[in-house]
Amino acid sequence: MFTPQGPSLRELAVQGLSSVEHGYDLLADAFDATPFRTSDRLLTAVTRTLEPLGPFDSGLDVCCGTGAGLGVLRAVCAGRVTGVDFSTGMLGRARDAHPGADLVRADALALPFAPVFDLAVSFGAFGHFLPDAQRTLFGQVHASLRPGGTFAFPLPAPPPVGSRLYWILWGFDAAMRVRNAVWRPPFVMYYRTFRLADVRGRLREAGFDVSLTPVETLGRREDGSPRCRLVVARKPQERTA
C-alpha cells in the first residue's frame, strides 16, 4: 500500500475480512511499509516530550505491534522494556527489531503483569477498542503500573469538521460499521471513538490523575491549539498511615 514493499489491495481486503488478531498476523511482514505504522516524526516528538517527565525505570508498550514504541521506551527508560501484543506475527517482527526487549503475547484486556512498570505507552492502537473495552484497557494498564507510575500516549487534535480528512475518517468508520454488521468475525478499527473528553473521564474512572502536555515539536494549529497533546495519566502514590 503506497509503496512497493507494502501490502496489495487484495492483501488488505483479506486482512479486513479477518479477525483483528489474524488480520495483523497476515499484515505483519509488510506493516512497517504502510501508513498505519506510527511515524518516526511522532515517535521522536513523543520521546522529547516524555524526557522531562521522568526519570523512568521499567517501561511497557501496550499493543506494541512491530515495536515502533519500544524505541521510545529505550530512549527514556533506564531499565527493562517490555512489549505486549496478541498478534504472533507482529511480535515476531518486534523481536527482530528489538532483540533485547521482553515480548509477551497477551490480550491487552487481560494483561498478565504485576504492578512493576514505571511507564506505559501506546501508539495507534486505541481504535481497536470500543468505549467499554477502553475502560477495561485503562484498568489493566493501571494495575500493571507501580504507584506513581505513568501511562502516556499522544492524541492528535481532531481534523476540522468538514475538512477532507474529517470526511475520510467519517467514511472509514461508516464502512467498518457496515462491514461488522454483515460479516463475522468483526474487525474493530474506528478512528472517531477516542475523543479527548471521553478518554479523560475513562482514565479517571480507572484511578488515574490526568494532565495534558502539548507536543510542541509538532507545532500548533491556526487557532493556537497544539496539533498533538501527550495525555499523561499518573497512578497516585500509595498513602502512608
Side-chain angles (χ1 to χ4, degrees), residues 159-234:
V161 175
S163 66
R164 181 172 179 268
L165 181 56
Y166 172 89
W167 289 115
I168 289 173
L169 298 182
W170 188 94
F172 180 92
D173 283 7
M176 290 303 296
R177 292 188 185 281
V178 171
R179 179 256 187 239
N180 288 332
V182 302
W183 192 267
R184 291 292 183 272
F187 191 99
V188 176
M189 180 61 212
Y190 299 106
Y191 285 100
R192 301 173 68 247
T193 59
F194 203 69
R195 296 178 296 185
L196 177 58
D198 298 333
V199 169
R200 293 177 77 171
R202 290 168 193 147
L203 286 166
R204 287 169 177 153
E205 288 173 12
F208 286 106
D209 297 326
V210 185
S211 62
L212 303 174
T213 300
V215 182
E216 293 291 4
T217 55
L218 295 182
R220 291 181 173 262
R221 303 200 295 181
E222 291 183 359
D223 63 3
S225 63
R227 295 186 183 278
C228 183
R229 293 178 171 90
L230 189 70
V231 178
V232 180
R234 294 192 184 272

Side-chain angles (χ1 to χ4, degrees), residues 25-209:
D25 285 344
L26 294 173
L27 188 60
D29 287 344
F31 182 80
D32 286 346
T34 72
F36 307 119
R37 191 258 194 193
T38 304
S39 71
D40 288 336
R41 180 169 180 254
L42 177 58
L43 294 169
T44 299
V46 169
T47 300
R48 291 176 179 172
T49 308
L50 274 173
E51 285 173 340
L53 303 181
F56 305 107
D57 186 15
S58 55
L60 174 67
D61 186 0
V62 181
C63 304
C64 67
T66 57
L70 291 172
V72 174
L73 293 179
R74 286 185 179 280
V76 301
C77 293
R80 298 288 296 180
V81 299
T82 300
V84 61
D85 203 282
F86 72 167
S87 167
T88 302
M90 299 290 268
L91 286 172
R93 299 294 295 177
R95 188 167 290 108
D96 292 341
H98 300 277
D102 296 325
L103 295 169
V104 178
R105 184 179 181 275
D107 187 340
L109 301 181
L111 292 175
F113 306 115
V116 297
F117 296 102
D118 295 295
L119 174 66
V121 298
S122 193
F123 295 90
F126 296 119
H128 294 301
F129 300 93
L130 294 174
D132 284 345
Q134 291 170 18
R135 294 183 176 91
T136 302
L137 173 66
F138 294 160
Q140 290 290 298
V141 175
H142 186 276
S144 302
L145 289 169
R146 292 173 177 155
T150 299
F151 180 30
F153 52 86
L155 189 60
V161 175
S163 66
R164 181 172 179 268
L165 181 56
Y166 172 89
W167 289 115
I168 289 173
L169 298 182
W170 188 94
F172 180 92
D173 283 7
M176 290 303 296
R177 292 188 185 281
V178 171
R179 179 256 187 239
N180 288 332
V182 302
W183 192 267
R184 291 292 183 272
F187 191 99
V188 176
M189 180 61 212
Y190 299 106
Y191 285 100
R192 301 173 68 247
T193 59
F194 203 69
R195 296 178 296 185
L196 177 58
D198 298 333
V199 169
R200 293 177 77 171
R202 290 168 193 147
L203 286 166
R204 287 169 177 153
E205 288 173 12
F208 286 106
D209 297 326

